[in-house]
PDB file of all heavy atoms in Angstrom:
ATOM      1  N   TYR A   1       3.079  28.952 -12.279  1.00 97.00           N
ATOM      2  CA  TYR A   1       2.484  28.354 -13.480  1.00 97.00           C
ATOM      3  C   TYR A   1       0.983  28.624 -13.572  1.00 97.00           C
ATOM      4  O   TYR A   1       0.475  29.095 -14.590  1.00 97.00           O
ATOM      5  CB  TYR A   1       2.708  26.835 -13.514  1.00 97.00           C
ATOM      6  CG  TYR A   1       4.144  26.379 -13.604  1.00 97.00           C
ATOM      7  CD1 TYR A   1       4.539  25.171 -13.040  1.00 97.00           C
ATOM      8  CD2 TYR A   1       5.106  27.141 -14.263  1.00 97.00           C
ATOM      9  CE1 TYR A   1       5.848  24.727 -13.123  1.00 97.00           C
ATOM     10  CE2 TYR A   1       6.418  26.702 -14.342  1.00 97.00           C
ATOM     11  CZ  TYR A   1       6.788  25.497 -13.764  1.00 97.00           C
ATOM     12  OH  TYR A   1       8.087  25.066 -13.838  1.00 97.00           O
ATOM     13  N   THR A   2       0.261  28.307 -12.512  1.00 97.00           N
ATOM     14  CA  THR A   2      -1.199  28.447 -12.559  1.00 97.00           C
ATOM     15  C   THR A   2      -1.615  29.903 -12.687  1.00 97.00           C
ATOM     16  O   THR A   2      -2.629  30.213 -13.330  1.00 97.00           O
ATOM     17  CB  THR A   2      -1.843  27.827 -11.306  1.00 97.00           C
ATOM     18  OG1 THR A   2      -1.221  28.368 -10.135  1.00 97.00           O
ATOM     19  CG2 THR A   2      -1.692  26.317 -11.315  1.00 97.00           C
ATOM     20  N   GLU A   3      -0.838  30.802 -12.109  1.00 96.00           N
ATOM     21  CA  GLU A   3      -1.186  32.219 -12.182  1.00 96.00           C
ATOM     22  C   GLU A   3      -0.983  32.769 -13.597  1.00 96.00           C
ATOM     23  O   GLU A   3      -1.768  33.602 -14.076  1.00 96.00           O
ATOM     24  CB  GLU A   3      -0.354  33.016 -11.169  1.00 96.00           C
ATOM     25  CG  GLU A   3      -0.518  32.529  -9.732  1.00 96.00           C
ATOM     26  CD  GLU A   3      -1.971  32.416  -9.304  1.00 96.00           C
ATOM     27  OE1 GLU A   3      -2.719  33.405  -9.437  1.00 96.00           O
ATOM     28  OE2 GLU A   3      -2.371  31.315  -8.852  1.00 96.00           O
ATOM     29  N   LEU A   4       0.050  32.301 -14.278  1.00 97.00           N
ATOM     30  CA  LEU A   4       0.260  32.727 -15.669  1.00 97.00           C
ATOM     31  C   LEU A   4      -0.842  32.190 -16.577  1.00 97.00           C
ATOM     32  O   LEU A   4      -1.267  32.876 -17.520  1.00 97.00           O
ATOM     33  CB  LEU A   4       1.635  32.263 -16.162  1.00 97.00           C
ATOM     34  CG  LEU A   4       2.842  32.948 -15.525  1.00 97.00           C
ATOM     35  CD1 LEU A   4       4.144  32.334 -16.050  1.00 97.00           C
ATOM     36  CD2 LEU A   4       2.838  34.447 -15.785  1.00 97.00           C
ATOM     37  N   VAL A   5      -1.299  30.972 -16.290  1.00 98.00           N
ATOM     38  CA  VAL A   5      -2.417  30.426 -17.061  1.00 98.00           C
ATOM     39  C   VAL A   5      -3.672  31.280 -16.844  1.00 98.00           C
ATOM     40  O   VAL A   5      -4.426  31.558 -17.781  1.00 98.00           O
ATOM     41  CB  VAL A   5      -2.668  28.953 -16.690  1.00 98.00           C
ATOM     42  CG1 VAL A   5      -3.952  28.426 -17.353  1.00 98.00           C
ATOM     43  CG2 VAL A   5      -1.482  28.087 -17.106  1.00 98.00           C
ATOM     44  N   LYS A   6      -3.885  31.725 -15.599  1.00 96.00           N
ATOM     45  CA  LYS A   6      -5.005  32.636 -15.324  1.00 96.00           C
ATOM     46  C   LYS A   6      -4.898  33.907 -16.158  1.00 96.00           C
ATOM     47  O   LYS A   6      -5.884  34.391 -16.716  1.00 96.00           O
ATOM     48  CB  LYS A   6      -5.027  33.026 -13.843  1.00 96.00           C
ATOM     49  CG  LYS A   6      -5.594  32.012 -12.895  1.00 96.00           C
ATOM     50  CD  LYS A   6      -5.597  32.625 -11.488  1.00 96.00           C
ATOM     51  CE  LYS A   6      -5.829  31.588 -10.421  1.00 96.00           C
ATOM     52  NZ  LYS A   6      -5.709  32.179  -9.062  1.00 96.00           N
ATOM     53  N   LEU A   7      -3.692  34.475 -16.211  1.00 96.00           N
ATOM     54  CA  LEU A   7      -3.486  35.710 -16.980  1.00 96.00           C
ATOM     55  C   LEU A   7      -3.854  35.517 -18.442  1.00 96.00           C
ATOM     56  O   LEU A   7      -4.368  36.429 -19.091  1.00 96.00           O
ATOM     57  CB  LEU A   7      -2.030  36.168 -16.872  1.00 96.00           C
ATOM     58  CG  LEU A   7      -1.661  37.098 -15.722  1.00 96.00           C
ATOM     59  CD1 LEU A   7      -0.184  37.443 -15.792  1.00 96.00           C
ATOM     60  CD2 LEU A   7      -2.497  38.383 -15.756  1.00 96.00           C
ATOM     61  N   ALA A   8      -3.559  34.338 -18.957  1.00 97.00           N
ATOM     62  CA  ALA A   8      -3.865  34.038 -20.362  1.00 97.00           C
ATOM     63  C   ALA A   8      -5.323  33.601 -20.549  1.00 97.00           C
ATOM     64  O   ALA A   8      -5.729  33.298 -21.668  1.00 97.00           O
ATOM     65  CB  ALA A   8      -2.931  32.946 -20.872  1.00 97.00           C
ATOM     66  N   GLU A   9      -6.079  33.565 -19.439  1.00 96.00           N
ATOM     67  CA  GLU A   9      -7.490  33.162 -19.447  1.00 96.00           C
ATOM     68  C   GLU A   9      -7.673  31.700 -19.851  1.00 96.00           C
ATOM     69  O   GLU A   9      -8.704  31.309 -20.400  1.00 96.00           O
ATOM     70  CB  GLU A   9      -8.329  34.088 -20.328  1.00 96.00           C
ATOM     71  CG  GLU A   9      -8.310  35.534 -19.853  1.00 96.00           C
ATOM     72  CD  GLU A   9      -9.147  36.443 -20.724  1.00 96.00           C
ATOM     73  OE1 GLU A   9     -10.366  36.227 -20.836  1.00 96.00           O
ATOM     74  OE2 GLU A   9      -8.572  37.387 -21.302  1.00 96.00           O
ATOM     75  N   GLY A  10      -6.650  30.910 -19.565  1.00 98.00           N
ATOM     76  CA  GLY A  10      -6.758  29.473 -19.757  1.00 98.00           C
ATOM     77  C   GLY A  10      -7.233  28.794 -18.483  1.00 98.00           C
ATOM     78  O   GLY A  10      -7.517  29.449 -17.474  1.00 98.00           O
ATOM     79  N   LYS A  11      -7.297  27.474 -18.523  1.00 98.00           N
ATOM     80  CA  LYS A  11      -7.745  26.686 -17.374  1.00 98.00           C
ATOM     81  C   LYS A  11      -6.666  25.668 -17.016  1.00 98.00           C
ATOM     82  O   LYS A  11      -6.260  24.858 -17.854  1.00 98.00           O
ATOM     83  CB  LYS A  11      -9.054  25.954 -17.698  1.00 98.00           C
ATOM     84  CG  LYS A  11      -9.545  25.060 -16.569  1.00 98.00           C
ATOM     85  CD  LYS A  11     -10.745  24.225 -16.999  1.00 98.00           C
ATOM     86  CE  LYS A  11     -11.154  23.250 -15.895  1.00 98.00           C
ATOM     87  NZ  LYS A  11     -12.241  22.334 -16.347  1.00 98.00           N
ATOM     88  N   SER A  12      -6.208  25.716 -15.767  1.00 98.00           N
ATOM     89  CA  SER A  12      -5.218  24.742 -15.296  1.00 98.00           C
ATOM     90  C   SER A  12      -5.902  23.427 -14.945  1.00 98.00           C
ATOM     91  O   SER A  12      -6.896  23.419 -14.208  1.00 98.00           O
ATOM     92  CB  SER A  12      -4.479  25.274 -14.066  1.00 98.00           C
ATOM     93  OG  SER A  12      -3.703  26.413 -14.395  1.00 98.00           O
ATOM     94  N   VAL A  13      -5.370  22.339 -15.479  1.00 98.00           N
ATOM     95  CA  VAL A  13      -5.854  20.992 -15.147  1.00 98.00           C
ATOM     96  C   VAL A  13      -4.757  20.332 -14.313  1.00 98.00           C
ATOM     97  O   VAL A  13      -3.680  20.004 -14.827  1.00 98.00           O
ATOM     98  CB  VAL A  13      -6.143  20.176 -16.416  1.00 98.00           C
ATOM     99  CG1 VAL A  13      -6.544  18.749 -16.055  1.00 98.00           C
ATOM    100  CG2 VAL A  13      -7.242  20.850 -17.244  1.00 98.00           C
ATOM    101  N   ILE A  14      -5.007  20.188 -13.028  1.00 98.00           N
ATOM    102  CA  ILE A  14      -3.981  19.742 -12.092  1.00 98.00           C
ATOM    103  C   ILE A  14      -4.002  18.218 -11.953  1.00 98.00           C
ATOM    104  O   ILE A  14      -5.057  17.619 -11.753  1.00 98.00           O
ATOM    105  CB  ILE A  14      -4.177  20.399 -10.706  1.00 98.00           C
ATOM    106  CG1 ILE A  14      -4.268  21.926 -10.835  1.00 98.00           C
ATOM    107  CG2 ILE A  14      -3.060  19.995  -9.766  1.00 98.00           C
ATOM    108  CD1 ILE A  14      -3.073  22.572 -11.510  1.00 98.00           C
ATOM    109  N   VAL A  15      -2.830  17.622 -12.081  1.00 98.00           N
ATOM    110  CA  VAL A  15      -2.667  16.168 -11.929  1.00 98.00           C
ATOM    111  C   VAL A  15      -1.810  15.922 -10.688  1.00 98.00           C
ATOM    112  O   VAL A  15      -0.630  16.285 -10.663  1.00 98.00           O
ATOM    113  CB  VAL A  15      -2.005  15.557 -13.180  1.00 98.00           C
ATOM    114  CG1 VAL A  15      -1.786  14.057 -12.978  1.00 98.00           C
ATOM    115  CG2 VAL A  15      -2.833  15.824 -14.428  1.00 98.00           C
ATOM    116  N   ASN A  16      -2.396  15.329  -9.653  1.00 98.00           N
ATOM    117  CA  ASN A  16      -1.668  15.112  -8.402  1.00 98.00           C
ATOM    118  C   ASN A  16      -0.659  13.981  -8.529  1.00 98.00           C
ATOM    119  O   ASN A  16      -0.993  12.880  -8.961  1.00 98.00           O
ATOM    120  CB  ASN A  16      -2.637  14.801  -7.262  1.00 98.00           C
ATOM    121  CG  ASN A  16      -3.377  16.036  -6.784  1.00 98.00           C
ATOM    122  OD1 ASN A  16      -2.907  17.153  -6.975  1.00 98.00           O
ATOM    123  ND2 ASN A  16      -4.531  15.857  -6.171  1.00 98.00           N
ATOM    124  N   CYS A  17       0.576  14.276  -8.127  1.00 98.00           N
ATOM    125  CA  CYS A  17       1.678  13.305  -8.194  1.00 98.00           C
ATOM    126  C   CYS A  17       2.394  13.355  -6.843  1.00 98.00           C
ATOM    127  O   CYS A  17       3.268  14.201  -6.628  1.00 98.00           O
ATOM    128  CB  CYS A  17       2.640  13.648  -9.331  1.00 98.00           C
ATOM    129  SG  CYS A  17       1.842  13.864 -10.940  1.00 98.00           S
ATOM    130  N   ASP A  18       2.044  12.469  -5.930  1.00 96.00           N
ATOM    131  CA  ASP A  18       2.551  12.579  -4.569  1.00 96.00           C
ATOM    132  C   ASP A  18       3.879  11.857  -4.389  1.00 96.00           C
ATOM    133  O   ASP A  18       4.487  11.355  -5.343  1.00 96.00           O
ATOM    134  CB  ASP A  18       1.508  12.111  -3.559  1.00 96.00           C
ATOM    135  CG  ASP A  18       1.165  10.629  -3.699  1.00 96.00           C
ATOM    136  OD1 ASP A  18       1.932   9.886  -4.357  1.00 96.00           O
ATOM    137  OD2 ASP A  18       0.136  10.211  -3.140  1.00 96.00           O
ATOM    138  N   ILE A  19       4.303  11.781  -3.136  1.00 98.00           N
ATOM    139  CA  ILE A  19       5.628  11.234  -2.833  1.00 98.00           C
ATOM    140  C   ILE A  19       5.731   9.759  -3.200  1.00 98.00           C
ATOM    141  O   ILE A  19       6.832   9.267  -3.502  1.00 98.00           O
ATOM    142  CB  ILE A  19       5.963  11.462  -1.333  1.00 98.00           C
ATOM    143  CG1 ILE A  19       7.469  11.290  -1.077  1.00 98.00           C
ATOM    144  CG2 ILE A  19       5.128  10.562  -0.434  1.00 98.00           C
ATOM    145  CD1 ILE A  19       7.907  11.776   0.296  1.00 98.00           C
ATOM    146  N   GLU A  20       4.612   9.048  -3.211  1.00 97.00           N
ATOM    147  CA  GLU A  20       4.635   7.615  -3.526  1.00 97.00           C
ATOM    148  C   GLU A  20       5.088   7.367  -4.966  1.00 97.00           C
ATOM    149  O   GLU A  20       5.599   6.289  -5.276  1.00 97.00           O
ATOM    150  CB  GLU A  20       3.253   6.992  -3.303  1.00 97.00           C
ATOM    151  CG  GLU A  20       2.718   7.141  -1.884  1.00 97.00           C
ATOM    152  CD  GLU A  20       3.634   6.534  -0.831  1.00 97.00           C
ATOM    153  OE1 GLU A  20       4.349   5.565  -1.157  1.00 97.00           O
ATOM    154  OE2 GLU A  20       3.645   7.033   0.309  1.00 97.00           O
ATOM    155  N   GLN A  21       4.883   8.341  -5.846  1.00 97.00           N
ATOM    156  CA  GLN A  21       5.345   8.212  -7.234  1.00 97.00           C
ATOM    157  C   GLN A  21       6.484   9.191  -7.519  1.00 97.00           C
ATOM    158  O   GLN A  21       6.733   9.563  -8.662  1.00 97.00           O
ATOM    159  CB  GLN A  21       4.190   8.409  -8.212  1.00 97.00           C
ATOM    160  CG  GLN A  21       3.483   9.744  -8.138  1.00 97.00           C
ATOM    161  CD  GLN A  21       2.156   9.745  -8.881  1.00 97.00           C
ATOM    162  OE1 GLN A  21       1.138   9.284  -8.374  1.00 97.00           O
ATOM    163  NE2 GLN A  21       2.170  10.247 -10.115  1.00 97.00           N
ATOM    164  N   ASP A  22       7.174   9.569  -6.445  1.00 98.00           N
ATOM    165  CA  ASP A  22       8.327  10.465  -6.542  1.00 98.00           C
ATOM    166  C   ASP A  22       7.956  11.779  -7.219  1.00 98.00           C
ATOM    167  O   ASP A  22       8.775  12.390  -7.905  1.00 98.00           O
ATOM    168  CB  ASP A  22       9.486   9.777  -7.282  1.00 98.00           C
ATOM    169  CG  ASP A  22      10.820  10.456  -7.013  1.00 98.00           C
ATOM    170  OD1 ASP A  22      10.925  11.168  -5.993  1.00 98.00           O
ATOM    171  OD2 ASP A  22      11.744  10.292  -7.829  1.00 98.00           O
ATOM    172  N   PHE A  23       6.712  12.207  -7.044  1.00 98.00           N
ATOM    173  CA  PHE A  23       6.225  13.497  -7.530  1.00 98.00           C
ATOM    174  C   PHE A  23       6.285  13.630  -9.055  1.00 98.00           C
ATOM    175  O   PHE A  23       6.390  14.733  -9.587  1.00 98.00           O
ATOM    176  CB  PHE A  23       7.006  14.655  -6.890  1.00 98.00           C
ATOM    177  CG  PHE A  23       7.047  14.617  -5.389  1.00 98.00           C
ATOM    178  CD1 PHE A  23       8.235  14.355  -4.707  1.00 98.00           C
ATOM    179  CD2 PHE A  23       5.899  14.844  -4.646  1.00 98.00           C
ATOM    180  CE1 PHE A  23       8.271  14.334  -3.315  1.00 98.00           C
ATOM    181  CE2 PHE A  23       5.921  14.821  -3.248  1.00 98.00           C
ATOM    182  CZ  PHE A  23       7.114  14.567  -2.585  1.00 98.00           C
ATOM    183  N   LYS A  24       6.205  12.501  -9.769  1.00 98.00           N
ATOM    184  CA  LYS A  24       6.295  12.537 -11.235  1.00 98.00           C
ATOM    185  C   LYS A  24       5.030  11.965 -11.867  1.00 98.00           C
ATOM    186  O   LYS A  24       4.497  10.959 -11.406  1.00 98.00           O
ATOM    187  CB  LYS A  24       7.529  11.757 -11.713  1.00 98.00           C
ATOM    188  CG  LYS A  24       8.838  12.457 -11.350  1.00 98.00           C
ATOM    189  CD  LYS A  24      10.058  11.700 -11.812  1.00 98.00           C
ATOM    190  CE  LYS A  24      10.377  10.497 -10.956  1.00 98.00           C
ATOM    191  NZ  LYS A  24      11.704   9.935 -11.255  1.00 98.00           N
ATOM    192  N   MET A  25       4.581  12.603 -12.936  1.00 98.00           N
ATOM    193  CA  MET A  25       3.377  12.184 -13.636  1.00 98.00           C
ATOM    194  C   MET A  25       3.647  10.961 -14.496  1.00 98.00           C
ATOM    195  O   MET A  25       4.675  10.867 -15.164  1.00 98.00           O
ATOM    196  CB  MET A  25       2.881  13.339 -14.516  1.00 98.00           C
ATOM    197  CG  MET A  25       1.581  13.063 -15.241  1.00 98.00           C
ATOM    198  SD  MET A  25       0.970  14.547 -16.075  1.00 98.00           S
ATOM    199  CE  MET A  25       2.355  14.893 -17.170  1.00 98.00           C
ATOM    200  N   THR A  26       2.713  10.029 -14.492  1.00 98.00           N
ATOM    201  CA  THR A  26       2.845   8.834 -15.316  1.00 98.00           C
ATOM    202  C   THR A  26       2.193   9.065 -16.683  1.00 98.00           C
ATOM    203  O   THR A  26       1.322   9.934 -16.828  1.00 98.00           O
ATOM    204  CB  THR A  26       2.158   7.637 -14.641  1.00 98.00           C
ATOM    205  OG1 THR A  26       0.740   7.881 -14.585  1.00 98.00           O
ATOM    206  CG2 THR A  26       2.703   7.407 -13.230  1.00 98.00           C
ATOM    207  N   PRO A  27       2.576   8.277 -17.680  1.00 98.00           N
ATOM    208  CA  PRO A  27       1.898   8.379 -18.982  1.00 98.00           C
ATOM    209  C   PRO A  27       0.392   8.174 -18.876  1.00 98.00           C
ATOM    210  O   PRO A  27      -0.387   8.850 -19.561  1.00 98.00           O
ATOM    211  CB  PRO A  27       2.566   7.277 -19.810  1.00 98.00           C
ATOM    212  CG  PRO A  27       3.936   7.129 -19.213  1.00 98.00           C
ATOM    213  CD  PRO A  27       3.741   7.361 -17.750  1.00 98.00           C
ATOM    214  N   ALA A  28      -0.034   7.255 -18.013  1.00 98.00           N
ATOM    215  CA  ALA A  28      -1.474   7.005 -17.846  1.00 98.00           C
ATOM    216  C   ALA A  28      -2.184   8.234 -17.291  1.00 98.00           C
ATOM    217  O   ALA A  28      -3.299   8.571 -17.721  1.00 98.00           O
ATOM    218  CB  ALA A  28      -1.694   5.806 -16.931  1.00 98.00           C
ATOM    219  N   GLN A  29      -1.554   8.915 -16.349  1.00 98.00           N
ATOM    220  CA  GLN A  29      -2.145  10.144 -15.802  1.00 98.00           C
ATOM    221  C   GLN A  29      -2.236  11.230 -16.870  1.00 98.00           C
ATOM    222  O   GLN A  29      -3.229  11.960 -16.948  1.00 98.00           O
ATOM    223  CB  GLN A  29      -1.321  10.663 -14.617  1.00 98.00           C
ATOM    224  CG  GLN A  29      -1.495   9.872 -13.339  1.00 98.00           C
ATOM    225  CD  GLN A  29      -0.649  10.428 -12.210  1.00 98.00           C
ATOM    226  OE1 GLN A  29       0.578  10.549 -12.334  1.00 98.00           O
ATOM    227  NE2 GLN A  29      -1.282  10.788 -11.106  1.00 98.00           N
ATOM    228  N   LEU A  30      -1.197  11.349 -17.680  1.00 98.00           N
ATOM    229  CA  LEU A  30      -1.216  12.335 -18.749  1.00 98.00           C
ATOM    230  C   LEU A  30      -2.344  12.038 -19.734  1.00 98.00           C
ATOM    231  O   LEU A  30      -3.130  12.930 -20.096  1.00 98.00           O
ATOM    232  CB  LEU A  30       0.134  12.348 -19.471  1.00 98.00           C
ATOM    233  CG  LEU A  30       0.216  13.211 -20.732  1.00 98.00           C
ATOM    234  CD1 LEU A  30      -0.115  14.669 -20.428  1.00 98.00           C
ATOM    235  CD2 LEU A  30       1.605  13.090 -21.366  1.00 98.00           C
ATOM    236  N   GLU A  31      -2.429  10.796 -20.161  1.00 98.00           N
ATOM    237  CA  GLU A  31      -3.466  10.411 -21.123  1.00 98.00           C
ATOM    238  C   GLU A  31      -4.861  10.706 -20.575  1.00 98.00           C
ATOM    239  O   GLU A  31      -5.736  11.227 -21.290  1.00 98.00           O
ATOM    240  CB  GLU A  31      -3.337   8.920 -21.448  1.00 98.00           C
ATOM    241  CG  GLU A  31      -4.251   8.424 -22.554  1.00 98.00           C
ATOM    242  CD  GLU A  31      -3.777   8.805 -23.943  1.00 98.00           C
ATOM    243  OE1 GLU A  31      -2.828   8.173 -24.453  1.00 98.00           O
ATOM    244  OE2 GLU A  31      -4.374   9.743 -24.514  1.00 98.00           O
ATOM    245  N   ALA A  32      -5.060  10.413 -19.292  1.00 98.00           N
ATOM    246  CA  ALA A  32      -6.374  10.611 -18.676  1.00 98.00           C
ATOM    247  C   ALA A  32      -6.738  12.094 -18.563  1.00 98.00           C
ATOM    248  O   ALA A  32      -7.931  12.446 -18.539  1.00 98.00           O
ATOM    249  CB  ALA A  32      -6.412   9.959 -17.298  1.00 98.00           C
TER     250      ALA A  32
END
């Protein structure tokens, strides 16, 4: 994913979602 974004000259914004949240992004994280 991040490499394809590089090819398109975009910028990857990474949101960490660890095992404590079952590796899933929350709505609050998305909004932020």
Side-chain angles (χ1 to χ4, degrees):
Y1 296 150
T2 52
E3 303 309 307
L4 291 177
V5 172
K6 282 183 194 175
L7 271 180
E9 299 180 61
K11 177 187 175 186
S12 295
V13 176
I14 307 303
V15 177
N16 285 337
C17 307
D18 64 16
I19 197 168
E20 301 302 331
Q21 60 194 81
D22 199 21
F23 307 111
K24 291 180 284 191
M25 183 173 59
T26 66
Q29 285 180 304
L30 173 58
E31 187 77 77

